[in-house]
Amino acid sequence: MSHVRSMALSENALFGMGNPLLDISAVVDKDFLDKYGLKPNDQILAEEKHKALFEEIVKKSHVEYHAGGATQNSVKIAQWMLQEPHKVGTFFGCIGADRFGEILKQKAREAHVDAHYYEQNTQPTGTCAACITGDNRSLVANLAAANCYKKEKHLDLESNWELVQKAKVYYIAGFFLTVSPESILKVAKHVSKSNKIFCMNLSAPFISQFFKEDLMKVMPYVDILFGNETEAATFAKEQGFKTEDIAEIARDCQNLPKQNEKRRRVVVFTQGKDDTVATVGDKVTMFPVVDIDQNAIVDTNGAGDAFVGGFLSQLVMERPLEECIRAGHYAANVIIQRVGCTFPEKPDFH
């Protein structure tokens, strides 16, 4: 089976671009969340008031460091699901010339992802504090270097653009809209013209709220839109959809204007332990997730990224939507039973 699979897949078939971050993960209490004004389950960008949070979290007794960043996580998970050949996944992003940057490079190599980082030395490598309470995670991202990605310094370079063109499936998390919308648009337009598949994620409520204009510039090029229930609800509210029903929101997202009419947009919303909602042609279908004992959940950080990674692993092999979703559920189920977005040596997905 694996032999047949590797024949069909070429290196760099999956392209991702985003914010490479080092996750600093620790279990905290409610007082810690309150002190820094954090919701138990959220993703935000660090502000001045969060400076001390990063100093405090590294002193926690069980602090762990893992390579992170939403898009990078998803590309790694897809590569892990596929196993062979190596370097099916390509990743672009910006890091600093420092120890954390070296760790990210090392971790990408270990995951067999073809990472091409733009390295600069004005800003240190970005970090993300993952504040874990029970099965919730509050993420605070200090983008730093990740915010310094430059289209003309990296994406436009001939050797890099050739890697972009090699791909057939593309994934960029909405988070990257805060960094380089012009890079996203360049990639999205290439994908649309070539009739390949461009995937995007709503990523966090603040993207739909404060980066609405850039998000909607990219939306016509989006072939597959991912998000979770909270992000879907926020997006619907911001767009003035007249519904709070997640299936109807999915339908409304599907019907937003689209550039490449050869491909009908697919919308996929996860809802934690509840069914995943997806548009299948004219219908909206519910796909139940893998049952799990609540006690088996170690932390839900990375669950959404893992879902997308599992999904992309089958998409790049041109499997049907149902299989893509099943693989997404499988990967998310594995990830939530481990700390951060980490995975065992081999998948057991059939």
Side-chain angles (χ1 to χ4, degrees):
M1 172 66 198
S2 61
H3 178 67
V4 177
R5 209 155 65 190
S6 58
M7 296 288 290
L9 270 185
S10 56
E11 285 188 2
N12 309 111
L14 172 64
F15 175 81
M17 176 167 64
N19 300 331
L21 305 173
L22 189 75
D23 281 352
I24 305 169
S25 177
V27 173
V28 301
D29 54 20
K30 191 179 177 305
D31 291 344
F32 183 92
L33 295 182
D34 293 344
K35 180 175 174 181
Y36 294 106
L38 303 178
K39 295 177 189 153
N41 217 24
D42 202 9
Q43 305 103 304
I44 61 166
L45 293 178
E47 294 166 44
E48 200 51 47
K49 65 177 181 187
H50 300 114
K51 279 266 195 313
L53 180 155
F54 286 87
E55 291 159 21
E56 191 177 337
I57 198 166
V58 297
K59 298 194 181 95
K60 295 275 174 205
S61 54
H62 294 293
V63 62
E64 301 206 14
Y65 295 84
H66 297 286
T71 306
Q72 184 168 245
N73 283 343
S74 295
V75 172
K76 279 183 186 166
I77 295 275
Q79 180 66 55
W80 169 72
M81 289 282 289
L82 292 164
Q83 293 283 310
E84 300 278 330
H86 291 169
K87 297 189 177 181
V88 170
T90 316
F91 179 77
F92 287 6
C94 183
I95 59 175
D98 50 28
R99 190 173 66 92
F100 283 179
E102 288 305 316
I103 293 174
L104 289 185
K105 286 196 276 194
Q106 178 58 32
K107 293 292 179 192
R109 280 195 294 273
E110 286 170 13
H112 306 301
V113 166
D114 195 13
H116 293 257
Y117 297 113
Y118 168 48
E119 285 182 59
Q120 48 71 62
N121 45 27
T122 54
Q123 285 281 336
T125 296
T127 49
C128 177
C131 311
I132 314 291
T133 52
D135 58 7
N136 286 323
R137 83 305 172 251
S138 198
L139 307 177
V140 184
N142 179 25
L143 297 184
N147 207 21
C148 301
Y149 189 84
K150 298 278 181 289
K151 175 177 165 289
E152 57 287 353
K153 291 257 169 71
H154 194 263
L155 186 69
D156 293 345
L157 302 184
E158 203 177 329
S159 59
N160 288 335
W161 188 247
E162 278 174 8
L163 285 172
V164 176
Q165 291 173 306
K166 276 178 79 174
K168 54 183 190 180
V169 172
Y170 298 75
Y171 175 63
I172 300 177
F175 289 126
F176 201 58
L177 286 163
T178 76
V179 174
S180 185
E182 56 286 354
S183 295
I184 301 178
L185 275 170
K186 179 176 181 176
V187 171
K189 286 174 178 172
H190 161 75
V191 178
S192 179
K193 274 211 273 302
S194 326
N195 193 29
K196 297 190 284 191
I197 303 176
F198 185 80
C199 311
M200 190 141 196
N201 203 315
L202 292 174
S203 289
F206 80 85
I207 299 291
S208 293
Q209 292 165 310
F210 309 116
F211 294 88
K212 196 188 307 196
E213 203 183 321
D214 287 321
L215 175 62
M216 295 321 284
K217 275 192 198 135
V218 179
M219 195 59 76
Y221 302 100
V222 177
D223 296 301
I224 302 181
L225 180 68
F226 295 105
N228 68 20
E229 72 278 37
T230 323
E231 294 147 13
T234 305
F235 181 75
K237 201 165 119 196
E238 291 294 326
Q239 292 300 316
F241 292 170
K242 299 280 179 274
T243 179
E244 289 178 13
D245 176 85
I246 192 148
E248 287 175 27
I249 294 172
R251 164 64 36 74
D252 288 346
C253 290
Q254 182 182 37
N255 291 330
L256 289 167
K258 189 158 189 315
Q259 191 71 30
N260 175 12
E261 291 173 352
K262 294 198 207 60
R263 290 184 188 277
R264 183 142 190 214
R265 182 179 294 119
V266 173
V267 181
V268 184
F269 292 144
T270 57
Q271 309 188 82
K273 59 182 182 307
D274 296 326
D275 293 3
T276 294
V277 179
T279 59
V280 183
D282 288 326
K283 295 199 296 289
V284 177
T285 309
M286 301 291 189
F287 296 88
V289 303
V290 187
D291 270 334
I292 187 167
D293 172 7
Q294 286 299 109
N295 298 324
I297 299 176
V298 174
D299 90 55
T300 55
N301 185 20
D305 301 337
F307 173 82
V308 172
F311 187 104
L312 295 171
S313 73
Q314 304 305 296
L315 185 65
V316 81
M317 294 198 296
E318 299 173 21
R319 296 271 161 83
L321 179 71
E322 293 72 18
E323 281 301 288
C324 296
I325 290 173
R326 198 168 68 82
H329 287 164
Y330 167 78
N333 181 268
V334 169
I335 293 307
I336 60 179
Q337 298 181 60
R338 303 169 67 91
V339 172
C341 198
T342 60
F343 36 83
E345 194 190 345
K346 283 194 163 42
D348 181 25
F349 176 75
H350 303 289

